[in-house]
Amino acid sequence: MKVINLTEPMPTKIKFYQLSQWPLWALAFRPFFLAAGALAVFAMSYWFLILAGYAQWHLTMPATLWHAHEMLFGFAGVVAMGFLLTAAQTWTGVASVSGIKLCLLSMIWLAARFSFFIEIAGFEQLNLYIVSALQLVWWLAGIIILADMLIQAKSSHNYLFVVIASLLCALNVIFLSLVVLNKMSLALGVVDTAVLIMTLLVGVVAGRVVPFFTARGLNLSEQVRTPKLDKLVVFSSFFAIAWFFMSQLFFSAMSTGWVFAWLACLHSVRCVLWWHKGILKVPLLWSLHVAYWALSVGLILVALSYFSPIILFKDALHLITVGTIGVMIIAMMVRVSHGHTGRALQAPAYISLAFVLIVIAAIVRSLLPVYLGHHLAWQLSALLWVAGFSLFLFHCAPILVNRRVDGRRG
């Protein structure tokens, strides 16, 4: 029997803990997409239990604001950062974050999720301070890594993504600060502004990938290019975001509706120009197009909510959060998970069902509350969302934790 000498120094390297060698930590999309899928299922399941009365909410932060934070800054935020840190390596040729650094970044994000539920007598808001600190560190680390990659490659046309990520970081911190100060209505306004920032990100990314993926997926001779319209969408989006944010304090509500109507028209033009009848035969294409159509229709409904009491602003906005952000995210996560692991860009039939479930969830949440009642519509939408992202996890979790099929690293 071998005797262990406790006086000898322990080995500095243990193979099991060589995290840089684990496929999960090869590129940011792997742990971040896996984390996003898990949060999409568990956070929405908990939200459903709260709505249905099966779970009690004891924290000082209102459950509605927790739900908004986790779906936007937690779920959508980690997907955005995972996509950008992965895509930046392709854009620049500069190695992205991986290994132990990526593991630590993932642990910080995960710790922020659990920190919401810290309860210490006499320190009721301690959890919010911890979450704020963790979220700030996570955002800043990701932004610095992204900025460093782009600056090294002098990729100035991609600096916009650093600006967008920085705005999301700022709004995240402002949101949590307002909750601490018990300024709940202002906090909700910040969330709505952050949703518009996400639509800006969707607009920029979609402008690059949707025409390209469409031409490639349908074997078209050339892709649709609209550089002037793309720039107009970006500038108009920034204007709409700034106008909406300021309108919460100074401007009339009706004038804001016209701003959203203009932005909706621009996105609608893109939808028409990008459309091709062959899209309907390819799930990884129609899902992206449907998500972008939902943005156009959602903005139209948001605009109409300023003129008609029949259409509620929050219901209209959920066509964007669920139908655009949710559908775009699940479609892009499946596509990137396949493409960056050397797999064919063909998803099984149940992934098409997952796309359909999220689309229906968006319709139920945004258009049917008037007919079903808000409470029932919210619960049904949550269940559809959970079912869709459960199918995503079933399919993509094994892909994300295993090596590329072609043996390359990434």
Side-chain angles (χ1 to χ4, degrees):
M1 181 176 66
K2 183 178 179 180
V3 178
I4 300 177
N5 188 351
L6 297 178
T7 61
E8 293 180 358
M10 294 293 291
T12 57
K13 291 184 179 180
I14 303 176
K15 290 185 178 180
F16 182 76
Y17 291 106
Q18 289 180 335
L19 297 179
S20 60
Q21 303 303 313
W22 290 15
L24 182 61
W25 312 117
L27 269 175
F29 79 92
R30 289 176 173 270
F32 285 4
F33 286 6
L34 183 61
L39 182 63
V41 171
F42 292 114
M44 192 64 80
S45 296
Y46 190 39
W47 177 239
F48 167 79
L49 293 175
I50 293 172
L51 291 174
Y54 296 118
Q56 299 297 318
W57 184 261
H58 301 289
L59 302 183
T60 54
M61 180 182 190
T64 303
L65 292 181
W66 168 81
H67 166 70
H69 182 277
E70 290 303 88
M71 288 295 98
L72 185 62
F73 297 114
F75 166 70
V78 77
V79 173
M81 191 59 70
F83 172 80
L84 291 176
L85 292 177
T86 301
Q89 179 169 295
T90 303
W91 298 335
T92 65
V94 178
S96 186
V97 62
S98 62
I100 294 177
K101 291 181 180 179
L102 180 56
C103 177
L104 291 174
L105 201 56
S106 302
M107 293 303 105
I108 292 172
W109 179 89
L110 186 62
R113 313 280 70 80
F114 285 108
S115 295
F116 272 109
F117 300 95
I118 294 175
E119 290 186 276
I120 300 177
F123 299 92
E124 286 75 15
Q125 291 186 325
L126 178 62
N127 60 336
L128 296 180
Y129 289 107
I130 296 174
V131 171
S132 299
L134 291 172
Q135 283 291 106
L136 179 59
V137 170
W138 181 80
W139 277 112
L140 289 179
I143 292 168
I144 290 171
I145 294 168
L146 176 64
D148 181 61
M149 294 172 67
L150 298 179
I151 291 171
Q152 283 189 55
K154 298 180 180 179
S155 184
S156 57
H157 64 288
N158 287 314
Y159 289 170
L160 175 61
F161 292 112
V162 177
V163 174
I164 293 174
S166 299
L167 289 173
L168 288 172
C169 172
L171 290 174
N172 194 172
V173 174
I174 292 171
F175 169 84
L176 290 169
S177 300
L178 289 172
V179 173
V180 170
L181 296 173
N182 202 33
K183 305 290 185 180
M184 303 307 176
S185 60
L186 288 177
L188 287 173
V190 169
V191 167
D192 295 339
T193 304
V195 170
L196 298 178
I197 295 290
M198 280 292 180
T199 65
L200 169 61
L201 180 59
V202 167
V204 175
V205 172
R208 295 190 181 190
V209 303
V210 172
F212 173 71
F213 289 163
T214 301
R216 187 175 179 182
L218 300 180
N219 295 316
L220 303 178
S221 58
E222 59 181 316
Q223 72 180 71
V224 177
R225 299 182 185 278
T226 55
K228 293 183 179 179
L229 178 59
D230 295 344
K231 291 180 180 179
L232 185 58
V233 166
V234 172
F235 289 130
S236 297
S237 296
F238 271 117
F239 179 79
I241 292 165
W243 189 282
F244 173 79
F245 188 75
M246 295 300 292
S247 72
Q248 302 299 300
L249 299 175
F250 304 113
F251 302 144
S252 67
M254 187 170 291
S255 60
T256 306
W258 290 112
V259 174
F260 284 124
W262 164 249
L263 189 59
C265 290
L266 296 179
H267 286 294
S268 298
V269 172
R270 280 175 127 191
C271 288
V272 174
L273 292 176
W274 293 348
W275 184 256
H276 189 284
K277 61 182 181 180
I279 290 166
L280 297 175
K281 300 178 181 179
V282 186
L284 289 179
L285 288 180
W286 69 250
S287 54
L288 295 176
H289 283 266
V290 167
Y292 201 73
W293 273 103
L295 175 58
S296 176
V297 176
L299 287 171
I300 291 173
L301 292 178
V302 167
L304 291 175
S305 71
Y306 284 90
F307 302 97
S308 171
I310 299 176
I311 302 174
L312 298 181
F313 176 85
K314 287 296 182 181
D315 289 342
L317 196 66
H318 271 81
L319 184 58
I320 296 174
T321 56
V322 183
T324 297
I325 298 174
V327 176
M328 184 71 73
I329 280 177
I330 193 172
M332 286 296 293
M333 287 199 300
V334 171
R335 188 181 186 94
V336 171
S337 296
H338 276 246
H340 278 273
T341 58
R343 289 168 171 81
L345 295 177
Q346 296 177 346
Y350 62 82
I351 286 299
S352 298
L353 175 60
F355 297 159
V356 171
L357 289 171
I358 304 303
V359 171
I360 297 175
I363 295 172
V364 170
R365 176 60 187 86
S366 59
L367 302 180
L368 298 188
V370 175
Y371 305 99
L372 298 178
H374 281 80
H375 211 63
L376 179 58
W378 296 348
Q379 293 179 59
L380 181 56
S381 178
L383 288 176
L384 291 165
W385 174 282
V386 170
F389 276 95
S390 294
L391 291 174
F392 163 79
L393 281 178
F394 179 78
H395 175 63
C396 285
I399 295 175
L400 295 170
V401 300
N402 286 299
R403 295 187 182 279
R404 292 176 59 105
V405 294
D406 55 11
R408 292 167 52 194
R409 175 164 176 76

